[in-house]
Amino acid sequence: MRGTSPPLPAGYYWNHNTHYHDLILRAVPRGCGAALDVGCGDGLLVRRLAARARHVTGLDPSAEMIAVARQASRDVPNAGFVEADLLSHGLQAGSLDFVCSVAAIHHMDFTAALTVMRDAVRPGGGLVVISLAADGSLGDRLRGAAGVPAHHFHRLRHRGRAGDPGAPVTDPGMTWGEVRDEALRLLPGARFRRHLLWRYSLSWRRPHAG
């Protein structure tokens, strides 16, 4: 049924990134054909998206992560993986029904990466980005502090299922406000939300022509 999430795949684990996978899954358009997960890591989200799209590609520059993803997804026939950097891969414009990315865009040039992802979405298709940003003010730090009790609540709730795929990490360079302003400039009509567990979501649907 639309709005529900597929069953959790084997090997599912919880962390601050996987916590927001359901937000992405709910945004997949009906009848989704080709989907792309940018910065797919070990492929967990790709395997979940495979229940909602005819074919899902995971893109990641790490050979180690791609090898792990391929092994873990060997029983998912409509999932494939490419070892490549988004900005040099050369996505075809208007070729995808759905593009998503979790905790990856802050590793890249934000404007360039978001532009490439935007341009790859065909009319009626969707784009969802989940990532991190830096505190730029006292207000940002106070909002961040509100995430501490939420973190402990969810960690207890998912006791025994916490996990880390071992993907590379880096601190974000843009503040929450900078991310929001640049995202809304590039994606008019997009929805930007800041979430408790130190993540933001950016959701956009490309309008149909005419």
Side-chain angles (χ1 to χ4, degrees), residues 1-4 24-34 51-54 97-98 122-126 205 208:
M1 183 172 65
R2 182 69 174 167
T4 62
I24 290 174
L25 295 170
R26 289 193 295 268
V28 177
R30 292 180 182 271
C32 182
R52 297 219 163 196
R54 286 195 298 275
D97 296 296
F98 188 68
R122 61 172 54 107
R205 183 67 61 92
H208 287 281

Side-chain angles (χ1 to χ4, degrees), residues 10-140:
Y12 175 81
Y13 54 85
W14 179 87
N15 60 35
H16 294 164
N17 295 324
T18 65
H19 183 80
Y20 295 107
H21 280 185
D22 282 355
L23 185 156
I24 290 174
L25 295 170
R26 289 193 295 268
V28 177
R30 292 180 182 271
C32 182
L36 175 70
D37 179 17
V38 176
C40 66
D42 64 359
L44 176 61
L45 180 56
V46 169
R47 294 189 289 280
R48 299 192 71 188
L49 285 166
R52 297 219 163 196
R54 286 195 298 275
H55 190 271
V56 186
T57 300
L59 186 73
D60 200 289
S62 168
E64 180 181 358
M65 287 290 100
I66 289 294
V68 170
R70 285 174 174 156
Q71 176 65 19
S73 309
R74 61 192 181 279
D75 296 326
V76 185
N78 61 326
F81 297 91
V82 177
E83 178 193 338
D85 175 80
L86 172 69
L87 298 181
S88 59
H89 181 54
L91 289 180
Q92 182 180 349
S95 61
L96 298 166
D97 296 296
F98 188 68
V99 178
C100 64
S101 180
V102 179
I105 198 169
H106 70 284
H107 291 259
M108 300 175 263
D109 180 289
F110 181 88
T111 298
L114 193 61
T115 298
V116 169
M117 287 190 270
R118 176 199 67 192
D119 291 349
V121 176
R122 61 172 54 107
L127 168 64
V128 179
V129 172
I130 308 286
S131 200
L132 303 76
D135 291 336
S137 66
L138 175 60
D140 283 341

Side-chain angles (χ1 to χ4, degrees), residues 115-196:
T115 298
V116 169
M117 287 190 270
R118 176 199 67 192
D119 291 349
V121 176
R122 61 172 54 107
L127 168 64
V128 179
V129 172
I130 308 286
S131 200
L132 303 76
D135 291 336
S137 66
L138 175 60
D140 283 341
R141 290 191 289 275
L142 291 174
R143 290 193 67 179
V148 174
H151 160 76
H152 289 295
F153 169 79
H154 287 294
R155 188 175 65 174
L156 288 172
R157 181 184 174 207
H158 295 280
R159 182 183 298 172
R161 290 200 302 185
D164 181 353
V169 297
T170 190
D171 292 330
M174 296 174 69
T175 67
W176 304 94
E178 289 169 341
V179 169
R180 180 196 62 233
D181 292 348
E182 181 65 356
L184 297 183
R185 183 184 74 83
L186 293 169
L187 305 174
R191 183 182 187 190
F192 176 92
R193 293 176 59 197
R194 182 170 174 177
H195 299 276
L196 270 178

